[in-house]
Amino acid sequence: METVFISSGIPDDLRERLAKRYRVVDVPEGTTEGFAAYGEPAGWFMDGGTPVNAAVLAQLPTLRAVSNHGVGYDSVDVPAATSAGVTVSNTPEVLDNAVAELTLGLILALGRGIVKYDRYVRDGSWEREWPPYTNDVHGKTLGVVGMGRIGRRLAELVQPLGIEVLYHNRSKNPAIDESGVATHAEWEDMLQRSDFVSLHTPLTERTRGFFVKEDFDLMKPTAYLINMARGAVVNTDDLIAALKNGTIAGAALDVFEEEPLPASHELLTLDNVIVQPHNGSATVETRRAMVALGIENLEDMLEGRRPRTPLNWDDIHSS
Ligand code: 8YV
């Protein structure tokens, strides 16, 4: 019976299904050496906490398939996997609604001060004076950076609010333009016009640290940044400076360069920041759907079938 490593949470029923065909071995998240203690794997179900890079792949000559739990697969060196003949998959689509709806919630929370004025009541401020008005969210402009499936779902969700959606990708997305849910804009134009800028890009060498002071400087002082992508796509020092000096009005962050975010982090001293613990897809229903897709992908790849959501299957099987 071949061995499969598991380094991401998996419900018992899906574990039992896998165990009918494979020797299922739990390998601690983040393991990068000492694999012999766990066996010689044919497959691996993992997530963002576990690096699958060239050095790790070199230790696992029997590995044939890696299934990444999550749409973001920045911990997997896919080119190195391809070179090693290891097929890789991820879990897009099933989480689009969950991530988009949390993003919408954060937009509303920022725009209407929901978190801020919850504190206002709880700390007794309301007993002293009524709060200042907030602003309408309907009729405002949303800029989506990295218009993919999640960005499109967000654009669809905000349509009823009469929010104009602009997007910027390296290349226009004809499907988006034809759908009418968003309009492609040049980078500077989008940042200057948007009341909310929402980040949905993958973390790559090109996007790492790409959102910097100069970008914050282009935004309205009344605008908000939402980061649902990866903490590392934003220069955190520049973000903190922009929040402190009023370059932007506030931010909502679901992801951070360091996770879990330490309670002592400077971001948590700012009252114009809303934080979430990387909760975008973290619902019971969506996480189950992600794991089910991940395990289905793994079984398909191990049994020689193209997975539903491949990353390099065709690169390996067309050569
Ligand atoms: C999860 C995510 O946190 O899908 C992603 O890229 O960041 C989230 O859905 C991740 O999958 C952790 O396993």
Side-chain angles (χ1 to χ4, degrees):
M1 186 178 272
E2 291 188 308
T3 296
V4 165
F5 285 174
I6 300 290
S7 299
S8 186
I10 178 171
D12 290 344
D13 63 317
L14 295 178
R15 176 188 290 270
E16 287 160 16
R17 183 179 106 181
L18 202 57
K20 288 177 180 171
R21 304 284 298 270
Y22 302 95
R23 173 177 168 264
V24 178
V25 178
D26 289 300
V27 175
E29 185 174 71
T31 300
T32 56
E33 58 187 12
F35 291 104
Y38 301 102
E40 296 180 333
W44 196 355
F45 180 60
M46 41 67 70
D47 67 25
T50 299
V52 179
N53 52 38
V56 166
L57 290 165
Q59 299 173 61
L60 302 172
T62 59
L63 189 64
R64 297 187 280 123
V66 171
S67 176
N68 180 80
H69 173 273
V71 63
Y73 52 93
D74 40 278
S75 70
V76 181
D77 183 339
V78 177
T82 301
S83 298
V86 177
T87 57
V88 185
S89 64
N90 66 335
T91 59
E93 302 167 21
V94 294
L95 50 63
D96 297 350
N97 273 303
V99 178
E101 69 189 21
L102 181 60
T103 310
L104 174 58
L106 292 172
I107 288 171
L108 293 170
L110 287 165
R112 297 301 308 273
I114 294 172
V115 174
K116 179 178 181 180
Y117 290 112
D118 174 273
R119 285 199 299 266
Y120 190 89
V121 177
R122 293 174 190 271
D123 71 14
S125 296
W126 192 18
E127 292 176 293
R128 292 186 289 277
E129 63 178 333
W130 284 74
Y133 293 154
T134 63
N135 294 96
D136 291 338
V137 174
H138 63 270
K140 292 298 190 295
T141 299
L142 165 65
V144 174
V145 180
M147 178 59 84
R149 295 184 186 93
I150 293 171
R152 174 168 187 155
R153 186 61 190 133
L154 175 62
E156 291 168 350
L157 288 178
V158 303
Q159 293 299 306
L161 292 172
I163 290 176
E164 179 186 20
V165 182
L166 307 176
Y167 79 95
H168 184 80
N169 284 6
R170 279 185 291 170
S171 54
K172 286 188 178 181
N173 183 328
I176 293 291
D177 297 339
E178 288 161 17
S179 71
V181 296
T183 306
H184 188 268
E186 293 309 315
W187 181 251
E188 294 78 4
D189 182 41
M190 181 187 69
L191 294 183
Q192 290 166 341
R193 291 169 55 189
S194 295
D195 300 293
F196 302 90
V197 175
S198 193
L199 306 182
H200 299 274
T201 58
L203 176 60
T204 65
E205 286 322 303
R206 184 180 64 82
T207 64
R208 187 177 296 275
F210 88 101
F211 207 96
V212 296
K213 178 186 183 301
E214 289 73 16
D215 303 306
F216 290 114
D217 290 346
L218 287 167
M219 291 173 62
K220 299 176 183 178
T222 55
Y224 298 97
L225 178 81
I226 300 99
N227 190 1
M228 303 301 291
R230 288 287 186 268
V233 302
V234 174
N235 180 303
T236 301
D237 290 339
D238 289 358
L239 169 61
I240 290 170
L243 290 163
K244 280 185 163 181
N245 62 29
T247 302
I248 62 171
L253 309 171
D254 187 44
V255 287
F256 307 88
E257 289 189 81
E258 181 185 4
E259 294 185 2
L261 185 71
S264 59
H265 197 282
E266 187 177 5
L267 279 169
L268 301 181
T269 67
L270 306 178
D271 66 7
N272 57 348
V273 176
I274 297 174
V275 291
Q276 289 289 285
H278 201 142
N279 251 2
S281 66
T283 68
V284 171
E285 301 88 349
T286 292
R287 283 295 171 85
R288 173 158 181 104
M290 290 169 64
V291 176
L293 175 55
I295 296 303
E296 176 194 321
N297 282 341
L298 187 61
E299 291 174 329
D300 283 343
M301 292 186 286
L302 289 175
E303 291 154 29
R305 298 183 297 270
R306 188 177 191 273
R308 179 152 54 115
T309 51
L311 288 172
N312 67 349
W313 180 271
D314 299 333
D315 297 326
I316 290 175
H317 289 81
S318 59
S319 54

